[in-house]
Amino acid sequence: MQLVLPRHLRARREKIFGPAPSHRLDGNAKARLWATANAYNSANRQPRQHQGPLTWASLRVLRALLWRFHNADSGGRCFPSYERIAATAKCARSTVALAVRALEEAALLTWVNRLTKIRRREQDLFGHWRSEWRVLRISNGYQFVDPLEREPGRRVWCKSDNPTRPRDLNEEGAPLIAAQVIQETPPWPPPEQTERPAIAPRREHDPAGGTLLSDTERAALIRRLDTKPTKADWRAYERDLAARLV
């Protein structure tokens, strides 16, 4: 709803003091975000647009945020300045500001304004020295939106959520010695072994070139994306997402 309203009627952006918010992402989540950006371009490309609503510069900014600045402090945070992003993406600072807004309109990321409070000593109109507090904006705290997290009742598991792997500990909680293997039973039932659905060919009349999958095929595809996806699975997910965005 916020993207439909004019900018002056939207809610004010959140401003925080202190560190940026933490949001952990693994390699699969970053690949899903990149595939969603390409699908968004394919579904919303207008005439005389070379790439789509997200230009090459916007995609370079997204790539820099995902694979260069995110989790740089090992805490799942992303808070670079516009100057650092521009130097990495090889573009101007004004281009970074436009790219970040375009990525938010594509529902790929959001951000909060990070503030700090400093104390400065200045002279007043009568020449008397006094100190005053000033609030300065230092950078933005970016948070990415995983496409699978938009589905209601679904939580995406990330490797970084569990720094200590269960297989490294025995039943008493002590570390396992060398060449010691335990068999663990997962708390959820194993997925049913189903045949891989055949990917339907692209429809010629679809301007985005997407292929809409059925509910059964989409569920099987999502299960494969959560385990060991292949390049064909990512292409099928991108075409299905492009067909749904039309």
Side-chain angles (χ1 to χ4, degrees):
M1 185 63 183
Q2 293 293 328
L3 299 178
V4 179
L5 294 175
R7 192 172 297 277
H8 66 281
L9 294 179
R10 300 179 188 178
R12 296 177 64 90
R13 192 171 303 278
E14 182 182 0
K15 298 175 175 58
I16 61 173
F17 289 90
S22 176
H23 185 221
R24 299 182 181 273
L25 294 174
D26 57 0
N28 289 336
K30 294 181 180 181
R32 285 192 295 268
L33 280 166
W34 187 257
T36 304
N38 294 326
Y40 177 80
N41 266 348
S42 300
N44 298 278
R45 184 175 179 271
Q46 300 296 329
R48 296 189 178 183
Q49 281 187 347
H50 178 70
Q51 185 72 14
L54 301 178
T55 61
W56 283 112
S58 301
L59 293 178
R60 288 200 304 269
V61 169
L62 177 61
R63 182 171 55 188
L65 291 174
L66 282 175
W67 284 285
R68 179 67 182 273
F69 297 110
H70 181 263
N71 202 29
D73 61 342
S74 301
R77 298 180 178 86
C78 183
F79 52 95
S81 62
Y82 279 4
E83 289 76 9
R84 294 289 303 276
I85 300 175
T88 304
K90 295 180 174 57
C91 59
R93 186 183 186 277
S94 58
T95 305
V96 175
L98 296 176
V100 168
R101 291 191 179 275
L103 292 173
E104 187 185 33
E105 291 180 358
L108 295 175
L109 59 81
T110 182
W111 74 88
V112 296
N113 294 329
R114 296 180 60 232
L115 306 177
T116 185
K117 198 174 183 180
I118 63 173
R119 191 170 186 175
R120 300 185 60 179
R121 189 167 179 264
E122 296 180 350
Q123 280 184 322
D124 57 9
L125 296 177
F126 302 98
H128 300 155
W129 287 95
R130 62 186 181 87
S131 60
E132 64 177 6
W133 290 96
R134 284 193 176 184
V135 177
L136 300 179
R137 176 181 170 184
I138 50 178
S139 68
N140 296 331
Y142 300 96
Q143 185 174 0
F144 301 95
V145 182
D146 192 344
L148 293 184
E149 291 182 354
R150 302 177 193 171
E151 300 182 8
R154 182 180 180 86
R155 180 182 181 275
V156 181
W157 178 80
C158 182
K159 293 180 181 178
S160 55
D161 291 341
N162 188 12
T164 303
R165 295 172 296 179
R167 63 173 179 271
D168 294 338
L169 303 176
N170 57 16
E171 296 180 355
E172 289 77 14
L176 294 176
I177 60 176
Q180 183 178 359
V181 181
I182 60 174
Q183 183 70 24
E184 295 182 352
T185 303
W188 57 86
E192 298 180 359
Q193 298 294 333
T194 58
E195 297 182 357
R196 297 174 68 92
I199 300 175
R202 291 189 176 185
R203 294 173 293 184
E204 298 296 335
H205 62 277
D206 193 348
T211 302
L212 190 62
L213 302 178
S214 62
D215 296 338
T216 305
E217 292 175 344
R218 188 177 299 111
L221 179 61
I222 291 178
R223 283 199 299 269
R224 293 199 302 274
L225 293 179
D226 290 340
T227 54
K228 293 183 178 180
T230 60
K231 292 183 179 180
D233 294 336
W234 284 119
R235 287 195 295 267
Y237 174 77
E238 183 178 351
R239 289 197 296 267
D240 177 67
L241 186 60
R244 286 188 289 170
L245 291 176
V246 174

